[in-house]
Amino acid sequence: MPTVLAGLSRLDPERIRHVASPLIELGCALHVLAEPRHHDRTEWAAELRDRMPQQLCEELTAWTWTVRAVRARFFATSPATGLPTWQDELATLRARPPEELAAELVRPLRGRPLSTRTTDTDAVRRWARSRGQEVGALVESLLTAPAEPVARFLALLDACWHEWFAEVWSESRDQLAARGRQDRDLAARDGVAAMLRTLDGAVHPRDPDSVVVQKVQNKRIDVAERSVLLVPSNFIAPHLFLGEVPGEPLTVIYPAAAQRTGVPAAQVVRSRLEALAAPDRMQVCRAVASEPRTAGEIATLWGLNATQVTRHLRALTRAGLVTAERQGRFVAYRLDEQVVRQLGTDLLDLVMR
């Protein structure tokens, strides 16, 4: 179930560029502001909302759907390189036809597009209504008379810049620009695959021509004939964002402070969950949680079928949840507490009761 980036050996380093974009970084920051818990930024988000004018907070809430799981397209790529200014990026947006920007704004609601230039408006309206009457009305105006709501959204971005994001950007822009240059130079020196593996713990080598990105998204992206845009961010963690926009470079938004912790493969996690789903497996885990036990001992103490216990233990061992150690004629099994903890503390607490 991973994402494979292929064609790396044929990607000319000259087609790799980097950008420290205030617009993309603002999009990442707005995502954190909307969903601060899984970014471990709840305190930052609460303090920021306390400082912002109430009207700005309400306007941000009305547009939150544009930056959650899927973000508006212009938050996912940039025509610029290096270190563009906020004024330049905002001017570029304002110069575009409002119909184009409206189509990009509704991207998080559109479902699978009929083509690269069409939008399923029925799906957009349906999913907008599911988010409440206010979002439904706002999206309807984007679809039918986009000039006013698009201007409203751009005014919101500019208000965020002046109220709080300009300060955030001034403290981080040079660091982000330096990180982008460093990674671009690394690709030219050591190769694209080597550079990508340094970006995040979710990126693993596959073969000389490709890397695997551990995401719950089964797809293959061939970059041999396209370019890549590197965008370091102080707000994207714990995500690693791969933005595929037709006709644009593959955008890689990655933590500026590289996340070195390894990310398990989706297949590994799924196999562990499947191993625990079978009847009696939790009970077997409990039996080996506190001390090593043999299959025969577990069957006797817990009143289970010995053959079934052996099968359960073998499945749990294959999934990496239990370790096996031979002691003379016996094989003793023990729960791997660290692996179970990685699946979830609720699970471990239950098993250890």
Side-chain angles (χ1 to χ4, degrees), residues 107-181:
R107 176 175 177 256
L109 305 173
R110 74 182 184 183
R112 185 178 295 277
L114 301 176
S115 75
T116 58
R117 295 184 178 274
T118 59
T119 295
D120 184 347
T121 55
D122 289 339
V124 168
R125 287 184 169 96
R126 181 166 61 252
W127 303 131
R129 289 194 298 269
S130 75
R131 286 161 170 77
Q133 185 176 357
E134 183 180 6
V135 174
L138 183 55
V139 169
E140 183 65 28
S141 66
L142 284 167
L143 294 174
T144 57
E148 187 279 329
V150 165
R152 174 182 163 186
F153 183 78
L154 296 182
L156 170 64
L157 296 185
D158 202 31
C160 288
W161 172 264
H162 289 289
E163 285 289 339
W164 58 275
F165 190 69
E167 179 181 355
V168 172
W169 183 247
S170 68
E171 294 173 352
S172 60
R173 62 185 177 186
D174 293 338
Q175 169 224 359
L176 297 179
R179 177 64 200 271
R181 287 194 301 270

Side-chain angles (χ1 to χ4, degrees), residues 297-311:
E297 182 182 3
I298 295 169
T300 300
L301 293 177
W302 270 264
L304 301 172
N305 179 278
T307 301
Q308 285 297 102
V309 169
T310 298
R311 289 175 180 168

Side-chain angles (χ1 to χ4, degrees), residues 76 88 105 189-190 228 344-345:
D88 287 343
L105 281 168
R189 188 189 70 198
D190 296 343
V228 172
T345 54

Side-chain angles (χ1 to χ4, degrees), residues 13-273:
E14 293 301 318
R15 285 187 278 120
I16 299 176
R17 57 188 180 91
H18 63 88
V19 66
S21 163
L23 180 60
I24 293 178
E25 186 74 340
L26 176 58
C28 295
L30 292 177
H31 172 81
V32 174
L33 194 58
E35 297 290 337
R37 284 184 297 176
H38 71 264
H39 291 268
D40 197 24
R41 305 285 284 266
T42 52
E43 185 175 341
W44 174 82
E47 291 177 354
L48 180 57
R49 286 190 176 276
D50 286 342
R51 289 194 288 115
M52 283 193 295
Q54 182 63 28
Q55 184 177 358
L56 181 55
C57 288
E58 292 173 357
E59 187 73 344
L60 280 171
T61 300
W63 291 93
T64 292
W65 52 274
T66 65
V67 291
R68 274 196 159 132
V70 179
R71 62 194 64 197
R73 179 175 289 181
F74 47 75
F75 287 136
T77 191
S78 173
T81 57
L83 190 55
T85 68
W86 170 253
Q87 290 73 21
D88 287 343
E89 292 199 305
L90 185 62
T92 298
L93 289 180
R94 285 176 169 161
R96 295 179 59 187
E99 294 79 11
E100 286 186 7
L101 287 183
E104 295 188 12
L105 281 168
V106 301
R107 176 175 177 256
L109 305 173
R110 74 182 184 183
R112 185 178 295 277
L114 301 176
S115 75
T116 58
R117 295 184 178 274
T118 59
T119 295
D120 184 347
T121 55
D122 289 339
V124 168
R125 287 184 169 96
R126 181 166 61 252
W127 303 131
R129 289 194 298 269
S130 75
R131 286 161 170 77
Q133 185 176 357
E134 183 180 6
V135 174
L138 183 55
V139 169
E140 183 65 28
S141 66
L142 284 167
L143 294 174
T144 57
E148 187 279 329
V150 165
R152 174 182 163 186
F153 183 78
L154 296 182
L156 170 64
L157 296 185
D158 202 31
C160 288
W161 172 264
H162 289 289
E163 285 289 339
W164 58 275
F165 190 69
E167 179 181 355
V168 172
W169 183 247
S170 68
E171 294 173 352
S172 60
R173 62 185 177 186
D174 293 338
Q175 169 224 359
L176 297 179
R179 177 64 200 271
R181 287 194 301 270
Q182 169 190 316
D183 294 325
R184 169 65 180 81
D185 293 344
L186 181 62
R189 188 189 70 198
D190 296 343
V192 180
M195 179 274 293
L196 290 172
R197 293 198 298 270
T198 69
L199 299 186
D200 190 88
V203 183
H204 302 288
R206 184 171 181 261
D207 55 51
D209 195 49
S210 63
V211 296
V212 171
V213 184
Q214 299 300 346
K215 296 175 71 71
V216 186
Q217 188 177 32
N218 190 15
K219 64 192 307 184
R220 183 179 186 275
I221 304 172
D222 194 327
V223 298
E225 301 300 326
R226 65 191 305 175
S227 54
V228 172
L229 178 65
L230 301 175
V231 189
S233 168
N234 285 327
F235 288 94
I236 197 68
H239 308 307
L240 176 68
F241 182 87
L242 301 177
E244 279 194 282
V245 176
E248 299 288 344
L250 173 69
T251 303
V252 185
I253 308 179
Y254 56 97
Q259 307 296 295
R260 302 300 183 187
T261 303
V263 176
Q267 180 58 41
V268 171
V269 175
R270 187 169 59 193
S271 69
R272 290 172 180 173
L273 295 175

